[in-house]
Amino acid sequence: MFHVKHFDVVVIGGGHAGAEAAAAAVRMGARTALISMRKDRIGVMSCNPAIGGLGKGHLVREVDALDGIMGLAADAAGIQFRLLNRRKGPAVQGPRTQADRKLYRQAIQVLLARTAGLEIIEGEVVDLIDGPNGSVSGVALLDGTQVTAAAVVLTAGTFLNGIIHVGDQHRSGGREGDVASERLAHKLAGLGLKRGRLKTGTPPRLDGKTIVWEGLDVQPADDEPVMLSFLNKAPQVRQVSCGITHTNERTHDIVRANLGRSAMYGGHIEGVGPRYCPSIEDKVVRFADKTGHQIFLEPEGLDDDTVYPNGISTSLPADVQYEYVRSIKGLENVTILQPGYAIEYDFFDPSALRPTLESTLTGLYFAGQINGTTGYEEAAAQGLVAGANAAAAALGLAPVLFSRTDSYIGVMLDDLISRGVTEPYRMFTSRAEYRLHLRADNADQRMTGLGLAAGLVGEARAKIYTDKMAKIGAANAVLSTQTYSPQELQAAGIGVSRDGAARSLLQVLAFADTHWSQIDQLEPQMLGFDTDTKAQVWRDALYAQYLHREKADADTLRRNEMMRIPVELDFANLPGLSNELAAKLQRRRPSNLSEAERIEGMTPAALLLVLAHCRKANLARAVGQ
Amino acid sequence: MGDTIFALASARGKAGVAVMRLSGPQAHWALAHFCAAPTARQASLRRLVWQGHVLDEALVLVFDAGASFTGEACVELHLHGSLGVIKAVAQALAEMGLRPAEAGEFTRRALENGRLDLAQVEGLADLIDAETEAQRRQALRVLSGAVGKRAEFWRKDLIRAGALVEATIDFADEDVPVDVTPEVLGLIDGLLVDLRREIAGAGVAERVREGFEVAILGAPNSGKSTLLNALAGREAAITSEIAGTTRDVIEVRMDLGGLAVTLLDTAGLRETADPVEQIGVARAVSRARTADLRVFLLDHSDEALLIAPEVGDIVVLGKADLRPGADAISGQTGQGLDKLVAGITAVLAGKAASAGVMTRERHRIAMVRAVEAMESARYQVKGIGGAAELVALDLRRAARALDMLVGRVDTEDLLDEIFASFCIGK
């Protein structure tokens, strides 16, 4: 039987990128299909059972501010909410929660099922349908069904040429328990897109019933939980604690003695792994003088005894895993439910992507691990970008674009495109130059307006956002209308130097030891505002005086963006550059100096060379005209 | 790149030898029109023949691309220093399609080809301009890349400090050393000491480059102009018996013990009703205050002038020719001048010894900005738990300021340092 179905956008894959892409495309108004090999595995968390964190929490908030689904699902499944860096400034606080795997999956599936205009198709994509001029105009399924669409979003995760390693054993596979999409991989291999190979590791999964919890440190949830979504105020299910234990010298001796049997150290793996998520083998080798490494024992669900021991991912054989795990305090008699494994997979060089995540093939968009990133949050954010832009292209709307100066999403897209990837890419707050401005707490203030303009934000959220902004605007107005002398402020108990300078209450708010009670006393109108509004006004005020410093950087960035690199500039023949850097520049073809600056390995001196040649080439052109 | 340029690398005019330099892809090709090319970097005597005529017999040096001053293929023709020869060779090169170089073009190509960094280019310019021994030594230090090395050294410490702070932010939940404050403070303090010293030295380095100013001060008719002329060895200032002959500040550049010095002859210091002389006295006082050293030429030892000597200034009695036997100097007879010159040189050499490698105002501004940012970071570090993001901001600003010395910090460098130092990953 030969079916043909037609959509505006078709999304391949039901992981975090795929789910978010499909939901975004529908919000934009596109008739959308999501194709997954198994419907029941849509929204599966295949690695650690947590959402959010530093940089990652920022991404979730931005996705949420654009009316995405990740934050909502995380809140529904959150069993241990923690605001990381709670004692540091708001700019570097990241909301995070342990998530019940089953509840998370269910929440995503329910959210997608409720999405009117989305059809979920169970099937294996085996081919892309060629459109005119090298474009892509749909996909073919294993059963012969043809699904045509103006735009296709591919979120194949680690399924492309995935190989799973446990010690010297290896087999083809995507995630544990899933088959790798070999036929699709074969098709993609023929498209001439540049590929690389990465690896990632997982720890053994433990049976919580066999862990001796007594005597282990406990990490409880926050007393005042902070949600991932702007729409939620409180956890929806019971909160639990994580356990903390440590490796010891015996653990390390066991690992050391068996390094030769590790897939990674035995030379079975060619892919590059992330430095920030080292395997236990890596930790023992690279930090040989450390006598213990912390392990978080994270429950995978409320009615699931599986425990995810975060910090000991491995590709050692199963028997060695047993041996070293049982050398750890609390785990002496533990049962391993599933051994840890390393997985190698293909990714496509993201430096060839457009800022919309469209590939070099018109109509084909890539999002998630296929672009060399790691992490659910990074995947979801890309899914949103690809889904929204696929829909925009299909419907003839303006593309939805992000910049380093407005969002972590913009930082990630720019990093991927201008630097490419040499290890799995994870978000950190230190990647954002404008960190004081790009905060998790103000993601809605930064993004929701953009989402509204693009058509990504629905009515319900639009109303909540508009109300919130009105309250913040009113509070700011009250706080900035009147200024007070140092004497008046001191009379209210506010510590301020007698420098004669009159200050507004908004300025006073930024002082470390100012309390709302003091402000309320001077300005009783503030008593009429709720604590959430006040807290947000405070966070904004806190950094106001530093933003001009960041602005100076933003100006430099914009200046460098304006220095165009002539398309004819031949980096390969640009003497003075190392061959490696010249090759990178030639491949990436940065279009301006700012992009060139962010290419990995770029040095101040090399940038000066590029700048000198741009100036000369631009000058020559100006003279020639 | 593209075209090949040529220019005389030695000074114009008659000389024993004149060096014609060729740089660019066609440099070797052009030489082949004159003679058989010698092995690279081996000086060889060749007869230069153009269209059947011998132009000159020259020492020829060939440099390959990547191993020359400009980074391009280069040729040096050491010609006889005759205007006719130079003209003939230049004409032949122009006929082959080579282009006369613009001012500074060889150096610019060296910069563009990564053979020199920005500061080294400045050093080269200074070396070429160097007139004294101290200037030569200083310029050579800069040309050899001392600024770049110093900047790289500081940048490493800043990246380390930044990485420590960033680690406490981005890996708050993981196995990061609990308190990085002592190491961060140590790095910042070390950098501040270094930078402050270098800033102080930058002023001196600039004096070495531009020349120290030494002001000669005294009452009218105390013999200042006579002394200046004696030191300069020429009649730079008008001298007469009439008190108040010198109205303006007269400058004479000279080399004292290897240091470039500008001697300032000034109007005699006295209260006067003459409006023109008043202006001269005011100028004398103002230039004397900003000078690096003041020489007070007195008529008698307890004389008080409009401005008083500072520590380190030199005070001498003048007109030794009129008071035999006294320990005084005379511009007229030259008595005591050797001792005075030795005294001035000793004071200035003492100052020059503290000269840093940062020789320009541009360098000083970059360092001052870095110091401001680090002082702000230091203030914030005290409350590192609450203000790590502000410390990080300041450290980034400091690193960027220092990058200005040679060209620009990247977050990836911070991450490299973090990953190299800590076991990240729970």
Side-chain angles (χ1 to χ4, degrees):
Chain A
M1 208 33 210
F2 190 78
H3 298 285
V4 176
K5 296 184 173 188
H6 184 75
F7 294 91
D8 294 319
V9 173
V10 54
V11 176
I12 307 169
H16 305 280
E20 208 66 67
V26 172
R27 291 203 300 284
M28 292 285 286
R31 285 169 303 137
T32 305
L34 188 158
I35 305 173
S36 172
M37 290 201 214
R38 282 175 57 182
K39 270 186 183 178
D40 64 336
R41 292 186 65 78
I42 291 174
V44 159
M45 306 174 82
S46 52
C47 192
N48 62 320
I51 300 279
L54 294 160
K56 290 165 170 284
H58 291 75
L59 284 172
V60 179
R61 281 283 178 84
E62 287 175 6
V63 166
D64 185 68
L66 293 163
D67 219 3
I69 60 175
M70 176 169 257
L72 296 172
D75 285 348
I79 54 176
Q80 191 223 26
F81 286 92
R82 290 181 60 237
L83 182 65
L84 303 186
N85 278 339
R86 189 179 274 275
R87 294 207 306 267
K88 293 196 174 75
V92 292
Q93 292 175 354
R96 178 188 195 271
T97 187
Q98 295 296 141
D100 180 306
R101 283 184 196 282
K102 189 177 73 185
L103 292 177
Y104 187 85
R105 190 172 70 229
Q106 286 172 349
I108 290 286
Q109 289 176 9
V110 167
L111 284 161
L112 290 179
R114 277 197 212 138
T115 305
L118 174 65
E119 184 170 333
I120 295 175
I121 298 170
E122 193 166 71
E124 183 180 349
V125 174
V126 293
D127 204 356
L128 300 174
I129 300 172
D130 299 329
N133 304 320
S135 66
V136 170
S137 66
V139 299
L141 305 188
L142 185 62
D143 66 2
T145 306
Q146 303 250 326
V147 185
T148 63
V152 174
V153 180
L154 181 64
T155 69
T158 59
F159 286 79
L160 291 175
N161 291 331
I163 297 180
I164 286 175
H165 298 262
V166 183
D168 51 8
Q169 307 285 309
H170 59 87
R171 63 180 178 280
S172 152
R175 292 182 295 240
E176 192 68 11
D178 289 329
V179 287
S181 324
E182 282 180 27
R183 290 186 58 182
L184 182 58
H186 187 73
K187 167 71 181 183
L188 292 166
L191 294 177
L193 302 166
K194 192 172 165 287
R195 290 201 281 184
R197 202 143 173 83
L198 294 173
K199 68 164 189 226
T200 190
T202 62
R205 310 297 166 87
L206 310 178
D207 181 352
K209 292 195 299 291
T210 60
I211 294 175
V212 182
W213 296 93
E214 292 76 34
L216 295 185
D217 291 339
V218 170
Q219 183 188 55
D222 283 351
D223 292 336
E224 294 171 37
V226 172
M227 301 295 104
L228 272 304
S229 171
F230 286 106
L231 301 187
N232 294 319
K233 299 283 173 222
Q236 294 160 38
V237 293
R238 180 166 59 88
Q239 298 295 288
V240 300
S241 297
C242 290
I244 297 176
T245 183
H246 295 86
T247 60
N248 53 51
E249 292 288 20
R250 232 189 91 219
T251 320
H252 299 176
D253 287 342
I254 296 166
V255 171
R256 252 191 298 267
N258 290 284
L259 279 178
R261 299 180 65 198
S262 159
M264 201 166 43
Y265 281 86
H268 303 288
I269 294 186
E270 48 174 301
V272 180
R275 287 173 295 178
Y276 43 78
C277 195
S279 62
I280 186 65
E281 295 97 300
D282 257 335
K283 290 184 181 184
V284 167
V285 171
R286 286 176 48 207
F287 300 93
D289 53 341
K290 251 192 129 196
T291 55
H293 295 277
Q294 190 170 246
I295 304 169
F296 287 85
L297 299 173
E298 305 177 348
E300 298 213 339
L302 292 177
D303 59 0
D304 182 347
D305 287 319
T306 311
V307 165
Y308 185 96
N310 205 335
I312 49 168
S313 74
T314 185
S315 59
L316 285 163
D319 59 311
V320 181
Q321 294 188 29
Y322 250 108
E323 205 185 338
Y324 86 70
V325 167
R326 286 186 167 181
S327 70
I328 295 166
K329 186 181 174 192
L331 309 183
E332 293 87 349
N333 296 305
V334 83
T335 303
I336 292 179
L337 296 175
Q338 181 195 305
Y341 60 92
I343 176 163
E344 270 191 291
Y345 56 97
D346 279 0
F347 73 98
F348 289 104
D349 178 6
S351 65
L353 296 170
R354 294 171 215 270
T356 55
L357 292 182
E358 190 173 16
S359 68
T360 44
L361 301 182
T362 305
L364 182 64
Y365 294 74
F366 289 157
Q369 273 178 295
I370 192 171
N371 289 334
T373 63
T374 174
Y376 310 140
E377 303 82 357
E378 288 84 350
Q382 290 170 70
L384 183 142
V385 173
N389 281 294
L395 302 172
L397 304 172
V400 186
L401 300 173
F402 300 84
S403 131
R404 295 188 84 85
T405 56
D406 68 24
S407 58
Y408 275 79
I409 295 178
V411 169
M412 175 172 65
L413 294 175
D414 188 64
D415 280 348
L416 291 176
I417 293 165
S418 62
R419 309 181 73 120
V421 157
T422 50
E423 70 177 325
Y425 179 93
R426 170 181 154 184
M427 184 48 72
F428 300 105
T429 71
S430 58
R431 293 193 191 275
E433 294 88 342
Y434 314 111
R435 184 161 55 188
L436 302 188
H437 174 55
L438 306 187
R439 308 192 307 268
D441 65 74
N442 70 359
D444 52 347
Q445 289 161 260
R446 293 182 283 113
M447 291 280 103
T448 305
L450 184 150
L452 277 164
L456 263 172
V457 175
E459 276 176 33
R461 187 180 297 263
K463 179 164 185 337
I464 291 170
Y465 167 73
T466 314
D467 291 351
K468 178 176 170 180
M469 291 306 283
K471 282 196 264 182
I472 291 174
N476 276 321
V478 169
L479 289 167
S480 49
T481 39
Q482 205 183 326
T483 58
Y484 297 81
S485 70
Q487 286 78 5
E488 287 172 298
L489 293 171
Q490 282 182 347
I494 294 168
V496 51
S497 58
R498 284 184 180 266
D499 54 5
R503 292 175 174 84
S504 74
L505 291 179
L506 208 52
Q507 288 171 298
V508 169
L509 211 46
F511 298 166
D513 43 7
T514 304
H515 298 291
W516 274 110
S517 57
Q518 298 161 330
I519 302 274
D520 294 347
Q521 183 192 332
L522 286 164
E523 182 49 83
Q525 277 190 71
M526 286 313 295
L527 290 165
F529 290 93
D530 57 87
T531 50
D532 284 352
T533 302
K534 283 176 158 180
Q536 194 54 29
V537 164
W538 171 76
R539 291 186 199 108
D540 289 337
L542 192 62
Y543 292 116
Q545 58 173 318
Y546 299 101
L547 290 179
H548 72 274
R549 293 184 188 166
E550 287 197 340
K551 192 180 164 297
D553 292 350
D555 291 345
T556 308
L557 182 78
R558 269 189 288 272
R559 242 190 341 268
N560 286 345
E561 277 171 352
M562 277 159 60
M563 176 56 78
R564 313 296 304 175
I565 296 177
V567 285
E568 66 274 15
L569 186 62
D570 183 9
F571 295 104
N573 285 324
L574 216 159
L577 284 181
S578 68
N579 290 337
E580 188 197 347
L581 208 49
K584 259 187 198 161
L585 283 161
Q586 197 67 7
R587 205 166 55 236
R588 301 272 152 76
R589 293 251 37 121
S591 63
N592 60 54
L593 202 65
S594 170
E595 283 178 24
E597 180 175 11
R598 285 190 301 281
I599 285 175
E600 223 167 330
M602 199 70 189
T603 62
L607 194 70
L608 191 74
L609 286 183
V610 174
L611 175 65
H613 284 276
C614 292
R615 288 221 164 110
K616 199 159 81 174
N618 290 339
L619 191 70
R621 202 164 18 186
V623 169
Q625 276 163 3
Chain B
M1 230 46 16
D3 55 351
T4 301
I5 53 172
F6 67 93
L8 205 58
S10 51
R12 294 198 175 278
K14 273 190 221 176
V17 176
V19 179
M20 180 72 79
R21 181 144 64 180
L22 287 64
S23 178
Q26 291 183 299
H28 295 180
W29 168 87
L31 179 66
H33 284 69
F34 284 146
C35 63
T39 313
R41 293 174 167 266
Q42 278 187 17
S44 308
L45 195 61
R46 288 284 189 278
R47 188 169 290 174
L48 307 185
V49 180
W50 175 243
Q51 294 175 344
H53 302 285
V54 177
L55 300 178
D56 192 13
E57 200 156 331
L59 195 67
V60 175
L61 265 168
V62 169
F63 302 90
D64 289 330
S68 72
F69 165 63
T70 60
E72 301 172 328
C74 279
V75 170
E76 279 182 18
L77 305 172
H78 295 229
L79 308 165
H80 290 101
S82 129
L83 296 177
V85 168
I86 294 164
K87 195 174 160 195
V89 171
Q91 200 170 335
L93 290 170
E95 281 170 27
M96 289 180 212
L98 273 59
R99 175 171 67 76
E102 292 159 24
E105 198 170 359
F106 286 99
T107 310
R108 205 174 71 213
R109 289 189 175 198
L111 174 75
E112 286 169 359
N113 294 333
R115 306 294 293 180
L116 298 174
D117 69 25
L118 203 58
Q120 284 174 296
V121 168
E122 293 165 341
L124 178 64
D126 289 345
L127 183 64
I128 290 169
D129 288 340
E131 290 173 359
T132 71
E133 176 63 12
Q135 287 174 331
R136 180 192 68 76
R137 279 201 306 263
Q138 177 166 296
L140 208 55
R141 273 207 307 269
V142 177
L143 176 60
S144 70
V147 172
K149 274 180 214 141
R150 200 67 56 96
E152 187 53 36
F153 182 74
W154 289 332
R155 187 173 185 264
K156 249 190 222 142
D157 276 3
L158 268 178
I159 287 173
R160 171 76 188 167
L164 288 165
V165 175
E166 297 287 0
T168 64
I169 294 175
D170 268 335
F171 303 97
D173 219 19
E174 307 184 14
D175 266 351
V176 168
V178 185
D179 189 9
V180 301
T181 310
E183 189 179 347
V184 171
L185 268 182
L187 285 164
I188 292 177
D189 286 346
L191 280 165
L192 279 173
V193 168
D194 258 28
L195 277 164
R196 288 201 182 107
R197 187 195 303 125
E198 200 62 57
I199 288 169
V204 178
E206 208 186 348
R207 304 318 284 165
V208 170
R209 202 168 71 81
E210 301 279 342
F212 287 95
E213 282 192 356
V214 176
I216 304 171
L217 300 170
N221 225 355
S222 59
K224 297 182 294 298
S225 297
T226 308
L227 173 62
L228 177 86
N229 289 344
L231 289 172
R234 63 192 171 90
E235 295 296 308
I238 301 167
T239 54
S240 78
E241 295 301 312
I242 304 161
T245 302
T246 304
R247 295 290 177 92
D248 215 337
V249 178
I250 293 171
E251 305 187 6
V252 175
R253 273 186 78 82
M254 53 196 303
D255 181 340
L256 284 186
L259 293 169
V261 173
T262 302
L263 275 179
L264 308 176
D265 180 22
T266 60
L269 300 174
R270 67 169 166 186
E271 303 287 353
T272 171
D274 178 342
V276 178
E277 195 183 351
Q278 273 178 359
I279 296 171
V281 171
R283 282 190 183 174
V285 169
S286 113
R287 284 299 287 275
R289 289 219 165 99
T290 58
D292 300 291
L293 173 65
R294 283 147 295 276
V295 174
F296 288 84
L297 193 56
L298 304 184
D299 279 331
H300 47 88
S301 53
D302 51 355
E303 185 180 3
L305 292 169
L306 291 175
I307 76 172
E310 296 171 20
V311 177
D313 283 352
I314 294 174
V315 181
V316 290
L317 280 172
K319 298 186 176 171
D321 45 313
L322 303 181
R323 48 180 137 215
D327 184 15
I329 65 160
S330 169
Q332 207 68 258
T333 65
Q335 183 187 327
L337 288 195
D338 287 356
K339 213 173 138 193
L340 176 63
V341 167
I344 293 173
T345 307
V347 172
L348 296 183
K351 288 181 192 278
S354 66
V357 295
M358 307 293 168
T359 54
R360 301 195 167 230
E361 183 63 7
R362 189 179 74 78
H363 302 159
R364 203 186 59 82
I365 290 171
M367 292 188 296
V368 166
R369 282 199 191 141
V371 165
E372 282 166 2
M374 272 186 283
E375 279 169 346
S376 169
R378 197 181 187 289
Y379 173 76
Q380 300 283 3
V381 168
K382 302 291 187 184
I384 194 159
E389 70 274 27
L390 301 180
V391 176
L393 176 68
D394 285 331
L395 292 176
R396 285 185 191 194
R397 283 170 56 221
R400 242 182 339 266
L402 290 181
D403 276 353
M404 284 168 49
L405 290 172
V406 285
R408 219 171 95 79
V409 71
D410 206 333
T411 53
E412 202 62 24
D413 294 327
L414 292 173
L415 293 175
D416 282 342
E417 178 70 28
I418 291 174
F419 297 136
S421 310
F422 302 128
C423 182
I424 298 299
K426 65 177 192 178

